[in-house]
């Protein structure tokens, strides 16, 4: 397919039937690239940029604006989203059920976007865009925070992951070479600074302390939240592709770039020295331990 073919309209409630029996996607296992990177704590620094890319699409942004609890329960929503993502990679057969669960969850999400167009969360172009944002963000984050990734291998694995999530191959560019024209077209013709983008990139956005925070953290939260929010917005903005920053009107200076590179150098040095219990997210740690026992 070419990049334009991902602009299919209309909801899609499941994978398209084929001429013969469909084979189930194969769960990820040790040795895959996503197995190595998706459970690393550095993922927490890159996911917000992918989220901003997603909600910059008017339909996705409207869906989140209308149906998400990201304002009323930001920590709970983040925890549930992260746990779901970890299941995709480390859940084995559970990954396939999680993909089906997500499609069921999204089947009733619909409305009107900021341009007055009707949307449905399972419209193939919209659902595929949400998944596609992982590719440029993973590549960009790796260059700053870890090490450059094999672009073709990453893309092939993301297509495999798309199958786990019920995304049809015809709704995604087939290769990295086809991806970038598709991405450029999406940035130029679809993305905008939606209300949700503006909110996510506002360091003054009110965020409560994490659920279950102790008395001490709750007391110092008013002092701690502003610098953490500024750091969050800084890293998120820096990990967006430059063309996206320019299109959305987000300021980024040479000084900002130097600061992000310095932060990246610190992260690249410190994280590999951490013990496994600190370096990897809980589900990834458990999967790695289980894989070593087999």
């Amino acid at each position: 397919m070419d990049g334009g073919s991902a602009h299919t309209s209309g909801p899609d409630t499941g994978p398209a039937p084929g001429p013969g029996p469909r084979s189930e996607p194969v769960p990820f296992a040790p040795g895959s690239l996503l197995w190595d990177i998706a459970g690393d704590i550095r993922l927490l620094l890159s996911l917000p940029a992918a989220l901003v890319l997603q909600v910059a699409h008017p339909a996705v942004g409207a869906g989140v604006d209308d149906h998400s609890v990201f304002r009323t329960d930001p920590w709970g929503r983040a925890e549930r989203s992260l746990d779901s993502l970890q299941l995709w990679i480390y859940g084995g057969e559970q990954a396939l059920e999680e993909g089906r669960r997500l499609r069921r969850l999204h089947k009733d999400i619909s409305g009107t976007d900021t341009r007055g167009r009707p949307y449905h969360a399972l419209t193939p172009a919209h659902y595929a865009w949400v998944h596609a944002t992982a590719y440029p963000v993973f590549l960009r984050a790796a260059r700053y925070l870890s090490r450059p990734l094999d672009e073709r291998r990453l893309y092939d694995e993301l297509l495999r992951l798309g199958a786990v999530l019920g995304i049809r191959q015809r709704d995604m560019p087939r290769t990295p070479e086809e991806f970038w024209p598709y991405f450029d077209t999406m940035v130029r013709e679809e993305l905008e600074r939606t209300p949700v983008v503006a909110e996510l990139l506002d360091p003054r956005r009110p965020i409560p302390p994490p659920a279950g925070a102790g008395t001490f953290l709750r007391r110092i939260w008013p002092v701690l939240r502003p610098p953490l929010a500024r750091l969050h917005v800084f890293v998120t903005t820096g990990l967006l592709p430059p063309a996206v920053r320019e299109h959305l009107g987000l300021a980024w200076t040479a000084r900002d770039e130097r600061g992000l590179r310095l932060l990246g150098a610190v992260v690249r040095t410190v994280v590999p020295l951490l013990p496994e219990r600190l370096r990897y997210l809980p589900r990834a740690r458990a999967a790695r331990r289980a894989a070593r026992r087999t």
Side-chain angles (χ1 to χ4, degrees):
M1 61 175 276
D2 60 23
S5 63
H7 293 269
T8 311
S9 62
D12 169 41
T13 57
R22 292 181 58 85
S23 59
E24 288 281 7
V26 177
F28 286 86
S32 61
L33 187 58
L34 287 177
W35 181 280
D36 290 337
I37 67 176
D40 190 297
I41 60 170
R42 286 172 281 196
L43 183 76
L44 301 178
L45 294 173
S46 60
L47 284 181
L51 176 59
V52 168
L53 262 184
Q54 292 164 15
V55 299
H57 189 292
V60 181
V64 170
D65 202 1
D66 295 342
H67 299 277
S68 175
V69 297
F70 81 99
R71 295 184 182 95
T72 56
D73 184 23
W75 296 101
R77 182 192 184 280
E79 182 178 3
R80 291 188 293 273
S81 296
L82 185 62
D83 190 58
S84 178
L85 186 154
Q86 296 292 287
L87 268 177
W88 308 344
I89 309 300
Y90 304 106
E93 294 301 321
Q94 286 182 278
L96 306 182
E97 173 53 34
E98 179 64 8
R100 292 187 285 266
R101 185 190 73 83
L102 287 175
R103 295 186 72 83
R104 293 193 298 269
L105 183 68
H106 286 84
K107 69 183 179 66
D108 295 324
I109 296 178
S110 61
T112 304
D113 71 16
T114 55
R115 301 181 186 178
R117 303 174 301 187
Y119 72 81
H120 190 286
L122 293 180
T123 296
H126 305 160
Y127 210 61
W129 170 251
V130 170
H131 182 56
T133 59
Y135 186 59
V137 171
F138 272 18
L139 290 177
R140 187 163 173 81
R143 288 196 292 269
Y144 285 94
L145 305 176
S146 55
R147 65 184 187 281
L149 299 173
D150 183 323
E151 297 188 16
R152 189 167 301 279
R153 183 182 175 195
L154 175 64
Y155 195 76
D156 288 345
E157 291 193 12
L158 287 173
L159 289 180
R160 282 182 53 200
L161 180 57
V164 170
L165 300 176
I167 297 170
R168 303 171 302 188
Q169 285 198 10
R170 70 170 181 255
D171 295 321
M172 290 283 293
R174 292 174 299 183
T175 64
E177 290 81 7
E178 292 184 3
F179 175 85
W180 293 114
Y182 155 77
F183 182 76
D184 291 343
T185 299
M186 291 295 290
V187 172
R188 184 174 62 253
E189 298 183 0
E190 286 289 342
L191 300 196
E192 62 183 43
R193 192 165 179 164
T194 63
V196 179
V197 167
E199 197 166 338
L200 292 177
L201 294 178
D202 184 355
R204 299 163 300 179
R205 178 181 148 206
I207 298 289
T215 302
F216 177 72
L217 181 56
R218 289 199 302 272
R219 285 179 177 173
I220 68 170
W221 187 249
V223 176
L224 196 60
R225 189 203 63 81
L228 288 179
R230 289 193 295 271
L231 177 63
H232 169 83
V233 171
F234 171 74
V235 174
T236 301
T237 304
L239 293 183
L240 288 171
V244 174
R245 285 200 305 256
E246 181 178 355
H247 183 75
L248 299 181
L250 303 174
W252 189 255
T253 67
R255 181 179 180 183
D256 291 330
E257 182 66 20
R258 291 192 297 270
L260 184 61
R261 290 180 183 277
L262 177 60
L263 176 63
V266 173
V267 170
R268 288 196 307 272
T269 301
V270 172
V271 171
L273 301 177
L274 296 175
E276 188 172 87
R277 71 180 184 278
L278 297 178
R279 180 175 174 181
Y280 293 97
L281 298 166
R283 195 175 290 277
R285 287 201 307 270
R288 291 169 66 87
R289 286 197 299 270
R292 288 196 294 266
R293 290 197 296 267
T294 60

